[in-house]
Amino acid sequence: MIRTLYQSIAKPIFFRFDPEWIHETILHTLPLIGPLKPVMQNQFSFNDGRLKQTIWGLDFNTPIGLAGGFDKNARCVNLWDAFGFSFFEIGTVTPKPQPGNPKPRLFRYPHREALINRMGFNNDGSEVIAERLQHLAALPHRALMGVSLGKQFDTPVDDLDQVVDDYCTSLKRLHDYGDFFVVNVSSPNTKNLRELQQKESLQAILNALKMELQTKDKAKPLCVKFAPDLSEEQINEAVSAALECGIDGFIATNTTNQTGETESGGLSGKPLRERATEVVKLIAHITEGNVPIIGCGGILDAPDAIEKLEAGAWALQIYTGFVYRGPGVVYDLNCGILNEMDKRGFTHLSDFRKG
């Protein structure tokens, strides 16, 4: 019923407003639904042992998560499980607050089921977000939380010491709250950020973060998120560099700067599906399927999800699919994956990766 109401009533209303304004309005309003959380969980949550898996020692109830960038400032961390998400990412977070790029900076393309954003790591800063998480930590939730880390917009990429300090500062502040951490060196919306995917820069960041994690009482996994616009040679080099640093996982992919539209920024949604899957497959080949990959990009329905799993993804993230398909999309994706497992006689998600 809620899914039908979203498509027939809520979505047409939401799409009449500026995308960023309605997004922020919804995020500020969502905490008010707290008393309705059990009702929502009954509608959207999914509990089937065949979808459960343990990655990095963490229990993922289903393979579907919410991608970074949706809840940048950790306002709804106790609510994402109500929509059926098994995990989610906050951020991307920087050490100091920053406003991001000038508005407007978020655009819908309904005929393509796509979005373009050039947000620019707008966020409250890791100190404020850590304080917020401290207050929200006591609220019950069953979804795992990843933290996406980024550099300050005005930190030059060739000042590696300061770049490394940016990433490490946020990690130190948020270590106790995140279940896993993601190094964002692939957003197209922070000037020259993607240069940090080159071997020397990438390894400097990853080695420093790994060393910082080793000083903590509890080891937590570290992932890196790559751009879909890298060539095969560049992906090979970046993945190999990350493996040398002992990276725990990969997220493939971020948005693409090949938008095909007049607006610049990062394109997400259906047009990204094919290339994101190609990158998942390439990383899986390089790692021989031994390092967890979270597939992200163009997942709007079950065939999209299954395609990523077959390519080598261990888990999946959505963003644009949540915007276009609404709150029932997580349930629908899980149902579709299970139906396909039944058809093929699969008993575990890893069976997709095995072919």
Side-chain angles (χ1 to χ4, degrees):
M1 170 121 181
I2 295 178
R3 291 191 285 276
T4 303
L5 288 175
Y6 178 81
Q7 292 296 336
S8 61
I9 299 176
K11 181 180 167 183
I13 293 173
F14 292 164
F15 276 37
R16 288 178 177 270
F17 293 94
D18 172 77
E20 184 175 355
W21 182 86
I22 196 67
H23 183 95
E24 290 300 316
T25 299
I26 290 170
L27 285 180
H28 281 83
T29 305
L30 271 179
L32 300 176
I33 70 167
L36 296 176
K37 185 174 177 180
V39 176
M40 295 181 63
Q41 286 177 320
N42 185 57
Q43 281 279 317
F44 303 127
S45 293
F46 212 96
N47 186 24
D48 191 298
R50 290 170 294 173
L51 295 179
K52 297 179 187 289
Q53 55 186 331
T54 300
I55 304 173
W56 309 309
L58 301 172
D59 294 328
F60 288 69
N61 287 328
T62 78
I64 311 299
L66 181 65
F70 203 97
D71 189 4
K72 288 177 177 289
N73 291 308
R75 296 189 178 280
C76 303
V77 298
N78 63 309
L79 296 174
W80 297 121
D81 60 326
F83 292 95
F85 289 108
S86 175
F87 64 104
F88 62 95
E89 262 183 59
I90 64 166
T92 294
V93 176
T94 55
K96 295 179 288 187
Q98 59 182 36
N101 293 322
K103 299 178 181 179
R105 54 193 180 182
L106 181 61
F107 308 90
R108 303 186 196 96
Y109 293 88
H111 64 290
R112 302 177 73 189
E113 286 192 291
L115 298 172
I116 290 177
N117 90 84
R118 49 172 181 262
M119 306 300 287
F121 289 172
N122 56 308
N123 73 106
D124 292 338
S126 55
E127 187 172 12
V128 170
I129 290 172
E131 292 174 359
R132 184 171 296 136
L133 288 171
Q134 186 176 17
H135 292 297
L136 293 175
L139 297 174
H141 66 90
R142 294 180 295 183
L144 300 168
M145 185 174 78
V147 179
S148 178
L149 306 171
K151 80 167 188 70
Q152 216 69 43
F153 80 99
D154 56 356
T155 298
V157 293
D158 55 0
D159 185 352
L160 263 183
D161 289 341
Q162 185 57 53
V163 168
V164 167
D165 186 67
D166 281 1
Y167 284 93
C168 287
T169 295
S170 294
L171 176 68
K172 291 173 187 176
R173 290 173 177 167
L174 297 168
H175 173 271
D176 292 346
Y177 305 106
D179 293 298
F180 64 95
F181 292 85
V182 179
V183 181
N184 188 345
V185 287
S186 53
S187 170
N189 301 315
T190 294
K191 186 178 179 181
N192 298 327
L193 182 77
R194 289 185 166 188
E195 292 180 18
L196 298 178
Q197 295 173 113
Q198 296 174 8
K199 182 176 182 178
E200 181 183 356
S201 303
L202 182 62
Q203 290 193 323
I205 297 166
L206 297 183
N207 282 329
L209 290 170
K210 291 294 284 188
M211 286 180 63
E212 182 62 38
L213 286 166
Q214 289 167 9
T215 68
K216 305 296 183 183
D217 293 333
K218 184 177 181 181
K220 294 188 177 180
L222 183 69
C223 303
V224 61
K225 187 173 189 176
F226 287 137
D229 306 309
L230 295 175
S231 67
E232 183 171 336
E233 181 181 354
Q234 289 172 321
I235 292 171
N236 267 285
E237 182 176 314
V239 170
S240 298
L243 291 173
E244 289 176 14
C245 298
I247 199 72
D248 298 293
F250 298 94
I251 298 183
T253 64
N254 213 315
T255 57
T256 176
N257 58 19
Q258 306 299 309
T259 66
E261 301 289 345
T262 56
E263 296 293 347
S264 62
L267 177 74
S268 62
K270 186 175 286 188
L272 181 58
R273 177 190 60 78
E274 185 175 353
R275 177 55 184 165
T277 301
E278 289 174 355
V279 177
V280 170
K281 189 176 296 185
L282 181 55
I283 296 175
H285 176 73
I286 298 167
T287 60
E288 298 181 340
N290 294 321
V291 180
I293 301 168
I294 297 176
C296 182
I299 301 171
L300 286 94
D301 55 28
D304 298 335
I306 291 162
E307 178 184 82
K308 292 287 192 296
L309 294 171
E310 290 176 327
W314 296 40
L316 308 168
Q317 286 180 328
I318 64 172
Y319 183 121
T320 307
F322 192 41
V323 172
Y324 279 97
R325 300 298 173 93
V329 66
V330 181
Y331 188 92
D332 293 341
L333 290 173
N334 284 321
C335 272
I337 291 168
L338 270 180
N339 288 338
E340 190 65 22
M341 290 176 70
D342 287 339
K343 288 179 187 176
R344 303 190 195 187
F346 289 173
T347 58
H348 192 269
L349 282 167
S350 60
D351 291 336
F352 283 109
R353 301 196 300 273
K354 296 171 185 175

